[in-house]
Amino acid sequence: MSIKLEDYAELLEDLSPHTRDALNVAWHEATKVFSPRGLDNYLKGVSAIRGLGRGDSLVETWIENAPMVAKEVGEDVVADLATASLMLASKTSGAVIELLLASAPTAAARLGDAELFLKYLQFVNTLLAQAPRGVRPMLDKLEVLFQHLTLGGLRRWALWGAHAHRTNYEEQIKYFGLESKESLAMLQKERKGTLLVDVQRRINMYLRALWARDFFMRPTSGDFESREGYRPYIADYLLHVPDAFDDFAPEGREPVSGPELYRATAAHCAAHVVETKQPISAEALNPLQMAVISVIEDARVEALSIRRFPGLKQLWSKLHVATPEMNASVGDYLNRLARALLDETYSDSDPWIAEGRALFAQVQDRLDNNHTSWEIGVQLAHSIAEKKIGFNPRTDILCAPYRDDNRYFWEFEEFDFNKAANAGYESVKQVRKYVSVMEMANEIDVETAGDDAEEIWVLGTELFPYENIGDESNGKSFNELEGREPMSDPFHYSEWDYQIQLERPAWATVLEKRAKSGDLQVIDDITSKYKREIHRMKFLLDAMQPQGVQRIRKLEDGDEIDINAAIASFIDIRLGNQPDPRIMMRSVRKTRDFSILVLLDLSESTNEKVQDQEYSVRELTQQACVLLADAINKVGDPFAIHGFCSDGRHNVEYTRFKDFDQHWDEVPKAKLAGMTGQLSTRMGAAIRHAGHHLKLQRSAKKLLIVITDGEPADIDVRDPQYLRYDTKKAVEEVAREGVTTYCMSLDPRADNYVSRIFGQKNFMVVDHVQRLPEKLPMLYAGLTR
């Protein structure tokens, strides 16, 4: 199938003669770069950009540069480039869009990857919203910037300038034009040692000289929020390496330059591709066994490569820094083993290291088969388990910067649900059966049944004894007597794993638990204590209340005549004056359409005392909620107050103190008085469940206010970044459902992480915690005005 320019005559009929000549000149080169589908997108882009009405120069810039972008990173990004240009049309001038298109080939050439180029377009769109005056000077200097910075470094450099000069437009222009000292200082700070784009050609030639074949490399960029990039990895026979490497300078040893580190990384990845004849099955292996097998497999492919190219041994050995003193974790032992198997001059007296060296030496004649890695790895994993050191797959990893993550040689069998069901391995789904009182009373209870019972019977109401059981009954139900709180059906939510960049489906379980009632006097005392603040907010809240039908007068176009204004105009006419033409009026119904859910962090840390005060964070949060509830109740918006805590991913406890359809009376007040703090803070699952409740509301605007005293954390998560990224993902998910999330943090260190989770304008850090009861109702007023 071939595409001719004449076939698009109707689409391109609005082009000026000069632009049509430019398209005819570029068409020959475009047909070499684009497929028929790509040519279709290219010409539709010409028509769309022409439709912006920003002049011929912009259209001709697209015609000239779009094929150059496709040549560098593929034709699939051309449609995204056109979409980005159209989106920017409502935010900036045609000159800036033209500059974006003109500099796009430079960005594509320096980034060298379609995915990174799309991230670059997203970054420009973000920067335009935060520093509109800085985009043009930055695009003018784009080639200079990309000579020194990765995409992540460019993003951090630009956003620093945007925040530092948010309102000073002259300084903003100087900063992004590289004309200020602080701009150059930040450029130097974010500068990376060696960029892949500068050495990629030499590395390709180096690999071709070694193995007499071509290898294809792609850059990865993982340093958007930190200066650390992704580890190298191999996927679909492509070598994915970081887009930049700093010089590697271990303490007390000679530094290794960035280009040399690229050679070591590329040679190691290429060794895997060349020496791996078949994958290693991961079936029936635990994470520790897989980690040890990976170390042995790395040593195997390196030993085979060193037989052919002895110089590689010196290149790789310089990048191992493990010492016999490192013995705090399994990861330390793995790094020591990796160095011992590569460098025979390395001395390590640990019996486990000696066992690994001996086993590897015995199979030197069988290194062609990677099954030897499996055998040695399983045996060594059994041996190291005797050291009684805990293993964490996230942190116990190899620290040699050139080593990849070894996903290339592992094979995972896909789960066959039909086969599992036939074999009897399919899990039995638990059934919750709702029954009557007579069925419940007459059925024989299985006392040995646990939480994994096939069938659970549920009674719609509490079941009370037929007769008093001594003095202990006192009107209590069986649930209260036997100590088992009623729970809702489990709600399963996915979680985002930032390290593998994938969602873990149905990973966290939320269980709704009934709130216990407390003493109502607690709530009355709070109301009395803050009587002055309640009186001070009265006028603000009165102004927020919906006023019903209002008449808007002095309109030229309205629904009915304003008699008073019409009479005044007739008087002006009789007096010979110019009459006021605004003699109409319109009746407008003023209504509020908000639903607000307040989500409270009820973790153990809320029981700690506020500094220099006699009350705890939980009591202060309780006071703030009472004032907020009174304020919202007076305005009339539907609202709910929920709380959460967690004890691992399988038990995220969620408590509903007040629901949307419930009146703010004694019942929710008593529940709020009985709130307690315990366990941990798995915030992402709680936000998703709160979003579930908000999604059921029919309000046009939905607001989720999260009140917390610390960052997300849980007992089964050691990596502090894991739950932060999951919470950020949860905020994005509920935002797609129309829910705006705002965080009020009581943690004085929250500035380090809360803005990345909730967004730059969607959080408040309360420096003086004791002022929370005053600030929370004012925050509500500001967010719903």
Side-chain angles (χ1 to χ4, degrees), residues 2 64 91 120 147 166 218 349 411 440 483 500 598 600 674 732 745:
S2 62
E64 179 183 354
K91 304 176 183 179
Y120 162 73
Q147 286 175 358
R166 187 182 298 274
R218 289 183 62 179
S349 59
E411 181 181 52
M440 179 71 76
I500 61 175
V598 182
L600 307 178
E732 294 171 354
S745 178

Side-chain angles (χ1 to χ4, degrees), residues 175-193:
Y175 180 90
F176 285 95
L178 297 177
E179 297 175 4
S180 65
K181 291 183 179 180
E182 59 185 9
S183 173
L184 298 175
M186 283 299 298
L187 180 67
Q188 187 63 31
K189 177 183 176 182
E190 298 296 343
R191 181 174 180 173
K192 282 280 190 175

Side-chain angles (χ1 to χ4, degrees), residues 535-705:
H535 180 73
R536 193 187 308 157
M537 290 187 296
K538 179 179 183 298
F539 300 103
L540 173 64
L541 299 175
D542 286 342
M544 293 174 61
Q545 287 182 337
Q547 302 299 318
V549 178
Q550 287 184 334
R551 286 179 176 174
I552 302 177
R553 301 179 182 274
K554 286 191 172 292
L555 299 175
E556 291 189 17
D557 182 21
D559 298 329
E560 53 187 314
I561 294 177
D562 184 349
I563 299 298
N564 293 333
I567 292 173
S569 295
F570 271 112
I571 292 173
D572 287 335
I573 292 173
R574 296 292 296 270
L575 294 174
N577 298 329
Q578 177 67 32
D580 188 344
R582 298 174 297 172
I583 61 170
M584 303 296 289
M585 65 179 181
R586 180 180 295 122
S587 296
V588 178
R589 185 186 177 97
K590 291 287 185 179
T591 60
R592 289 172 58 85
D593 198 9
F594 283 95
S595 288
I596 299 99
L597 193 152
V598 182
L599 185 62
L600 307 178
D601 172 7
L602 301 179
S603 59
E604 179 64 34
S605 59
T606 59
N607 293 323
E608 297 175 1
K609 297 291 185 183
V610 177
Q611 187 175 7
D612 302 327
Q613 302 293 337
E614 292 299 321
Y615 45 78
S616 66
V617 173
R618 177 187 55 77
E619 292 169 333
L620 193 67
T621 304
Q622 192 178 55
Q623 296 168 13
C625 281
V626 172
L627 266 66
L628 177 65
D630 282 340
I632 301 178
N633 189 55
K634 184 173 181 59
V635 174
D637 290 334
F639 72 101
I641 301 176
H642 297 171
F644 74 96
C645 59
S646 65
D647 187 23
R649 66 184 181 94
H650 295 298
N651 186 19
V652 181
E653 297 185 8
Y654 194 93
T655 308
R656 292 154 59 179
F657 300 106
K658 181 195 175 299
D659 286 322
F660 290 102
D661 56 354
Q662 202 172 7
H663 292 294
W664 177 239
D665 52 21
E666 286 77 7
V667 175
K669 288 180 181 179
K671 291 180 179 179
L672 197 62
M675 64 186 275
T676 58
Q678 58 189 348
L679 306 176
S680 302
T681 316
R682 204 176 197 99
M683 196 178 294
I687 288 177
R688 290 182 178 93
H689 194 58
H692 161 73
H693 285 293
L694 276 167
K695 191 166 65 172
L696 300 178
Q697 303 305 306
R698 296 186 177 182
S699 304
K701 299 177 182 177
K702 301 166 186 175
L703 176 64
L704 173 62
I705 301 177

Side-chain angles (χ1 to χ4, degrees), residues 337-542:
L337 178 63
R339 184 176 182 183
L341 296 182
L342 175 65
D343 185 3
E344 66 274 3
T345 64
Y346 168 67
S347 176
D348 198 316
S349 59
D350 186 88
W352 187 74
I353 304 297
E355 180 187 1
R357 272 179 159 168
L359 291 173
F360 193 70
Q362 293 172 9
V363 297
Q364 289 298 306
D365 58 337
R366 294 188 287 123
L367 290 181
D368 289 339
N369 188 349
N370 61 10
H371 188 66
T372 57
S373 302
W374 191 96
E375 294 174 343
I376 296 174
V378 170
Q379 184 173 342
L380 288 177
H382 179 73
S383 301
I384 198 173
E386 298 174 358
K387 292 182 178 289
K388 306 297 183 184
I389 304 176
F391 175 67
N392 185 348
R394 296 180 183 276
T395 57
D396 292 334
I397 58 177
L398 299 181
C399 61
Y402 75 93
R403 290 278 177 98
D404 66 300
D405 64 3
N406 287 332
R407 72 179 69 176
Y408 174 68
F409 60 76
W410 286 113
E411 181 181 52
F412 297 91
E413 182 179 350
E414 293 188 8
F415 187 76
D416 190 330
F417 288 94
N418 294 326
K419 187 185 295 183
N422 294 334
Y425 296 132
E426 187 178 28
S427 61
V428 179
K429 185 176 181 181
Q430 192 176 75
V431 177
R432 296 174 73 89
K433 184 177 179 182
Y434 292 85
V435 298
S436 66
V437 175
M438 294 306 298
E439 286 177 297
M440 179 71 76
N442 293 328
E443 183 63 29
I444 298 175
D445 186 22
V446 183
E447 296 181 358
T448 58
D451 291 337
D452 58 346
E454 295 181 13
E455 192 170 272
I456 295 178
W457 283 23
V458 181
L459 189 62
T461 60
E462 288 278 14
L463 181 63
F464 292 87
Y466 290 112
E467 56 194 21
N468 292 336
I469 306 175
D471 294 333
E472 295 178 354
S473 174
N474 197 21
K476 293 183 178 179
S477 68
F478 280 115
N479 271 336
E480 292 174 309
L481 286 173
E482 298 181 10
R484 192 75 185 256
E485 289 187 9
M487 288 186 295
S488 69
D489 292 342
F491 295 85
H492 302 290
Y493 294 98
S494 60
E495 275 193 354
W496 177 255
D497 190 328
Y498 77 101
Q499 290 193 336
I500 61 175
Q501 294 291 296
L502 290 173
E503 276 191 341
R504 296 181 179 274
W507 191 251
T509 302
V510 175
L511 298 172
E512 290 191 354
K513 296 198 172 181
R514 185 177 299 173
K516 296 180 180 179
S517 297
D519 187 0
L520 264 176
Q521 187 60 40
V522 174
I523 307 300
D524 295 335
D525 292 343
I526 293 173
T527 305
S528 301
K529 179 180 178 181
Y530 289 97
K531 187 176 295 184
R532 180 180 299 176
E533 283 77 8
I534 293 172
H535 180 73
R536 193 187 308 157
M537 290 187 296
K538 179 179 183 298
F539 300 103
L540 173 64
L541 299 175
D542 286 342

Side-chain angles (χ1 to χ4, degrees), residues 80-97:
D80 295 285
L81 179 61
T83 303
S85 302
L86 296 176
M87 289 175 60
L88 295 181
S90 61
K91 304 176 183 179
T92 187
S93 65
V96 173
I97 301 174

